[in-house]
Amino acid sequence: MSTSVDSTGAATSTAAAPASSTRLLGWALALVAVLAVIGLTGSMLLWQKLGNIQQALAQQSQDAGRQAIEARALARQASELAQESAARLAVQETRLSEVALQRSQLEELMQSLSRSRDENLVVDIEANVRLAQQQAQLTGSMQPLVASIKSAQQRIERAAQPRLAPVQRALALDLERLSSASVTDTAGLLARLDELLRQVDELPLKNAVAQAAATRRLAASARPTAASGAAAGETVDLPAWMAPLQRGWDAVKDEMRGLVRVRRIDQPEAILISPDQAFFLRENLKLMLLNARLGILARQLDAARSDLLTASAALNKYFDPAARRTQTAATAMQQIQAHLNTVETPRLDETLSALATAAAGR
């Protein structure tokens, strides 16, 4: 029984197997057909898309070509414009260099004109200051210098040049120095020298012993009283016949005193001067004083000082220092020398140095 079953089942299995194979084959063919359709559809879509891409690429290629042509045209135009711009720039640079050159030349011309004007101003001021200084030396007055400096200050202020500021400061310093300077008393000095010139003939020499004794005798003879009474401070009336005897006795005593005199002689040449030499000595002293007078008038103070020193040395060497006239003359000479030493015309060194610096352009 089981054998039949198995044979039936095997037969059934054998019959069912071809049916399932056919069915699977149909399904496979259907699947292949579907896949083929899908593949075909995909291929068509891909082809269509590829065509679209090709068209897009072709369009982009055309656009790129057109843009390239336009770019070349623009590049050509840009190159032409750049060349034209370069040419214009070269022309502008040339013109700019010409303008810069003209401007530099104009500035140099203006500076030259300004410098020339300043130099002329400086030279003019220096000439005026030097002329005023000479006038002050000749006249002994500070007014020419003060007027010249004030005029120079006004001209520099009107010029308004910064490079002249040092000159203006120097002018201010010299003006302040002039305002504090002392003025020479020319009239007083000349009057003193004239008085000394009148006293030269009356100055006693160191060897004028006999002249001094004779002078004392004449003075004693002019007095009606006795010499002894006068020395004692008492007045004694002598008879008329005794007055000549008294005068004779006084003369004899003076002569006896003059016979022997002991003195210290430091300068023997002053004692050994003869009358002729005394005359020329006095004349030489007058010439020295006259030269000093001319030096003061000519404002040659150094020469006047030198002449006064020589005259003072001669006065102390050859004239009697104990005489009142000699002492008065020596004092007058010392006073004149002291006045000349304190008086000096101020020198405008600051102004002249500043003017020289400004003229040199430093």
Side-chain angles (χ1 to χ4, degrees), residues 294-310:
L294 291 176
I296 293 174
L297 287 174
R299 303 301 303 167
Q300 301 294 330
L301 300 182
D302 294 335
R305 294 191 195 99
S306 177
D307 293 330
L308 285 173
L309 286 175
T310 306

Side-chain angles (χ1 to χ4, degrees), residues 244-296:
L245 295 177
Q246 184 66 36
R247 290 195 296 270
W249 175 245
D250 292 337
V252 171
K253 286 194 298 182
D254 290 336
E255 291 294 335
M256 292 178 64
R257 290 193 189 99
L259 289 177
V260 179
R261 180 182 293 266
V262 179
R263 296 179 59 186
R264 177 183 176 87
I265 300 176
D266 295 330
Q267 298 173 345
E269 64 273 12
I271 303 298
L272 300 177
I273 292 178
S274 64
D276 294 337
Q277 292 176 342
F279 171 76
F280 288 109
L281 176 63
R282 296 179 189 275
E283 294 300 321
N284 287 333
L285 183 58
K286 290 180 182 179
L287 288 176
M288 295 176 193
L289 295 176
L290 286 174
N291 288 334
R293 190 177 190 277
L294 291 176
I296 293 174

Side-chain angles (χ1 to χ4, degrees), residues 107-149:
E107 288 179 354
E108 291 178 358
L109 180 60
M110 293 177 63
Q111 291 178 359
S112 176
L113 291 176
S114 177
R115 190 180 301 111
S116 177
R117 183 185 63 183
D118 294 342
E119 289 177 356
N120 292 334
L121 177 61
V122 168
V123 170
D124 194 11
I125 291 175
E126 184 178 2
N128 291 334
V129 168
R130 292 188 182 277
L131 179 61
Q133 192 170 10
Q134 293 177 0
Q135 291 177 354
Q137 291 177 353
L138 292 175
T139 60
S141 175
M142 302 299 170
Q143 293 302 320
L145 283 175
V146 173
S148 176
I149 289 178

Side-chain angles (χ1 to χ4, degrees), residues 30-295:
L31 181 60
V32 170
V34 171
L35 290 176
V37 171
I38 292 172
L40 182 61
T41 304
S43 298
M44 292 178 62
L45 291 174
L46 289 175
W47 183 261
Q48 185 178 2
K49 188 175 182 179
L50 182 59
N52 293 333
I53 291 173
Q54 289 178 350
Q55 291 178 359
L57 289 176
Q59 184 68 32
Q60 290 178 0
S61 178
Q62 292 178 358
D63 294 340
R66 186 170 57 253
Q67 290 176 0
I69 295 172
E70 293 177 356
R72 284 195 295 270
L74 292 175
R76 189 180 298 106
Q77 293 178 0
S79 176
E80 294 176 355
L81 182 60
Q83 292 178 358
E84 185 178 357
S85 299
R88 290 181 180 179
L89 183 60
V91 173
Q92 294 296 329
E93 288 179 352
T94 304
R95 292 180 180 178
L96 183 60
S97 61
E98 292 177 356
V99 171
L101 180 61
Q102 293 176 358
R103 181 179 178 180
S104 63
Q105 292 177 352
L106 183 60
E107 288 179 354
E108 291 178 358
L109 180 60
M110 293 177 63
Q111 291 178 359
S112 176
L113 291 176
S114 177
R115 190 180 301 111
S116 177
R117 183 185 63 183
D118 294 342
E119 289 177 356
N120 292 334
L121 177 61
V122 168
V123 170
D124 194 11
I125 291 175
E126 184 178 2
N128 291 334
V129 168
R130 292 188 182 277
L131 179 61
Q133 192 170 10
Q134 293 177 0
Q135 291 177 354
Q137 291 177 353
L138 292 175
T139 60
S141 175
M142 302 299 170
Q143 293 302 320
L145 283 175
V146 173
S148 176
I149 289 178
K150 289 183 178 179
S151 175
Q153 286 180 335
Q154 293 176 359
R155 296 180 65 181
I156 291 176
E157 288 178 358
R158 288 196 299 267
Q161 289 293 333
R163 60 190 295 265
L164 299 180
V167 179
Q168 194 168 9
R169 289 194 295 269
L171 289 172
L173 291 176
D174 286 335
L175 183 61
E176 183 179 358
R177 189 181 298 113
L178 286 177
S179 61
S180 61
S182 59
V183 182
T184 307
D185 186 11
T186 306
L189 294 177
L190 295 180
R192 292 182 182 180
L193 286 175
D194 292 339
E195 184 65 24
L196 284 175
L197 285 170
R198 287 191 294 269
Q199 294 177 2
V200 169
D201 292 331
E202 300 175 359
L203 295 177
L205 296 170
K206 286 185 177 181
N207 62 349
V209 178
Q211 183 179 359
T215 303
R216 287 195 299 270
R217 286 197 303 271
L218 290 176
S221 64
R223 292 177 298 179
T225 59
S228 60
E234 300 176 355
T235 303
V236 179
D237 295 332
L238 296 177
W241 59 273
M242 290 186 65
L245 295 177
Q246 184 66 36
R247 290 195 296 270
W249 175 245
D250 292 337
V252 171
K253 286 194 298 182
D254 290 336
E255 291 294 335
M256 292 178 64
R257 290 193 189 99
L259 289 177
V260 179
R261 180 182 293 266
V262 179
R263 296 179 59 186
R264 177 183 176 87
I265 300 176
D266 295 330
Q267 298 173 345
E269 64 273 12
I271 303 298
L272 300 177
I273 292 178
S274 64
D276 294 337
Q277 292 176 342
F279 171 76
F280 288 109
L281 176 63
R282 296 179 189 275
E283 294 300 321
N284 287 333
L285 183 58
K286 290 180 182 179
L287 288 176
M288 295 176 193
L289 295 176
L290 286 174
N291 288 334
R293 190 177 190 277
L294 291 176

